[in-house]
């Protein structure tokens, strides 16, 4: 098996931009045998710093899954009404314009590689509901617009982020999984839409490890599960922070020497999620891991990535 890697979360360029440092990081990524491709962050252009650098340094054989969450969070910092699910029409139209830029970036990458290399684009149902009003109706209207465009083979998938709940402060606070599944079901006559579950965001929302499996089961029962991405979370106050969407690595163990001691994302929890679905058939399957300390070497970063992907490999080797 090969996996989609959210490598941007593990980049040594955690602040600022050094193309030399990123090139060294990408050279190590290209040497990993079990990477199918990248979960690529979209912030408004193909690459946040340098499109030409990106096109020069990627592995041309990789496939790509765009994720809009970095750009969405930046936009929300400027305009809390921004989002595809926003009841504020100006905020909704701003999000649609952002998605037009994403569609153009997909076209640029595909044209460079001479194939439909972008297999999916992950969208998220902003705005944050504790700061602005959102609805299923607004999301449906936005998706109806997006479905009219030529995505060059990229499937539009909603990545579920933590919904606004009464029990604790949100990280994202977007629409509920049930609302998202309902809207997709209404529009999915041509099977162009799907749902991706992010382990850490589902556990953040539910405050239970079982919450990730429950969300996987719900998406699967609706016939909409398109992917699972593994990033960890914890209630422990560490460099990653307690209950923060900081993409913690899996729990440290004898088999995972480069893990994070306080992480709730154990090898058993990962394998249970894989067993809950037809994991090998998912369009998106992989991990997005943040690295602490921020000044960790590239070798340390690659070691953590390698250990994380080894957990997935062990599941498929057993089954």
């Amino acid at each position: 098996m090969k996996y989609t890697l959210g490598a941007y979360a593990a980049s040594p360029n955690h602040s600022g931009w050094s193309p030399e440092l990123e090139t060294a990081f990408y050279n190590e990524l290209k040497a990993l045998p079990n990477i199918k491709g990248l979960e690529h962050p979209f912030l408004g252009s193909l690459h946040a710093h340098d499109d030409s650098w990106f096109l020069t340094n990627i592995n041309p054989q990789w496939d790509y899954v765009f994720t809009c969450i970095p750009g969405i969070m930046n936009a929300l910092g400027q305009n809390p009404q921004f989002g595809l699910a926003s009841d504020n029409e100006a905020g909704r139209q701003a999000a649609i314009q952002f998605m037009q830029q994403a569609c153009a970036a997909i076209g640029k990458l595909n044209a460079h590689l001479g194939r439909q290399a972008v297999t999916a684009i992950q969208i998220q149902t902003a705005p944050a509901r504790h700061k602005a009003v959102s609805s299923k109706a607004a999301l449906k209207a936005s998706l109806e617009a997006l479905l009219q465009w030529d995505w060059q083979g990229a499937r539009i998938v909603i990545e579920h982020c933590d919904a606004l709940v009464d029990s604790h402060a949100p990280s994202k606070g977007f629409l509920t999984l049930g609302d998202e599944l309902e809207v997709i079901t209404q529009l999915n006559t041509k099977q162009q839409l799907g749902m991706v579950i992010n382990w850490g965001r589902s556990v953040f929302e539910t405050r239970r490890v079982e919450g990730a499996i429950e969300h996987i089961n719900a998406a699967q029962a609706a016939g909409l599960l398109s992917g699972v991405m593994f990033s960890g979370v914890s209630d422990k106050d560490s460099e990653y922070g307690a209950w923060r969407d900081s993409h913690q690595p899996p729990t440290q163990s004898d088999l995972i020497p480069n893990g994070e001691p306080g992480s709730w994302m154990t090898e058993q929890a990962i394998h249970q999620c894989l067993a809950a679905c037809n994991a090998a058939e998912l369009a998106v399957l992989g991990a997005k891991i943040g690295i602490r300390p921020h000044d960790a070497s590239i070798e340390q970063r690659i070691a953590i990535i390698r250990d994380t992907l080894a957990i997935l490999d062990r599941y498929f080797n057993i089954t």
Side-chain angles (χ1 to χ4, degrees), residues 127-246:
R129 302 189 91 177
H130 57 302
K131 297 183 178 180
V133 179
S134 65
S135 67
K136 293 181 290 184
L139 176 63
K140 183 178 180 181
S142 296
L143 286 174
E144 286 173 335
L146 269 57
L147 287 170
Q148 302 304 311
W149 306 344
D150 179 11
W151 291 94
Q152 300 187 23
R155 192 177 191 194
I156 301 170
V157 295
I158 292 178
E159 181 194 36
H160 179 64
C161 298
D162 68 284
L164 182 64
V165 296
D166 294 334
S167 58
H168 55 263
S171 173
K172 304 297 186 289
F174 296 166
L175 290 181
T176 67
L177 179 64
D179 285 349
E180 293 167 345
L181 291 173
E182 181 179 337
V183 172
I184 296 176
T185 299
Q186 292 171 359
L187 296 175
N188 209 30
T189 56
K190 296 182 180 179
Q191 301 299 306
Q192 296 169 278
L193 303 169
M195 176 66 67
V196 171
I197 300 301
N198 177 295
W199 192 96
R201 289 171 180 157
S202 290
V203 172
F204 181 101
E205 175 184 325
T206 62
R207 293 297 200 263
R208 296 164 46 251
V209 171
E210 296 80 10
I213 295 179
E214 291 166 1
H215 284 182
I216 288 170
N217 287 340
Q220 190 165 238
L224 295 171
L225 184 66
S226 298
V228 178
M229 288 292 288
F230 291 98
S231 66
V233 71
S234 173
D235 61 345
K236 302 293 190 299
D237 189 13
S238 68
E239 286 187 274
Y240 291 92
W243 292 122
R244 289 187 57 201
D245 186 15
S246 53

Side-chain angles (χ1 to χ4, degrees), residues 62-76:
W62 282 342
D63 289 334
Y64 301 85
V65 176
F66 276 39
T67 178
C68 295
I69 193 64
I72 288 172
M73 297 310 294
N74 280 357
L76 286 172

Side-chain angles (χ1 to χ4, degrees), residues 54-101:
F54 182 69
L55 294 173
T56 298
N57 283 277
I58 56 176
N59 183 337
Q61 303 305 315
W62 282 342
D63 289 334
Y64 301 85
V65 176
F66 276 39
T67 178
C68 295
I69 193 64
I72 288 172
M73 297 310 294
N74 280 357
L76 286 172
Q78 301 298 317
N79 176 14
Q81 305 282 351
F82 178 95
L84 293 174
S86 180
D87 279 2
N88 177 277
E89 187 61 17
R92 193 176 73 84
Q93 289 300 327
I96 289 177
Q97 183 178 8
F98 174 75
M99 294 307 302
Q100 288 177 323
Q101 295 169 337

Side-chain angles (χ1 to χ4, degrees), residues 288-307:
K288 175 163 57 182
I289 299 301
I291 306 295
R292 302 292 188 276
H294 285 306
D295 62 355
S297 68
I298 289 175
E299 290 74 19
Q300 289 172 308
R301 295 170 188 276
I302 294 298
I304 293 172
I305 291 170
R306 187 182 293 112
D307 279 2

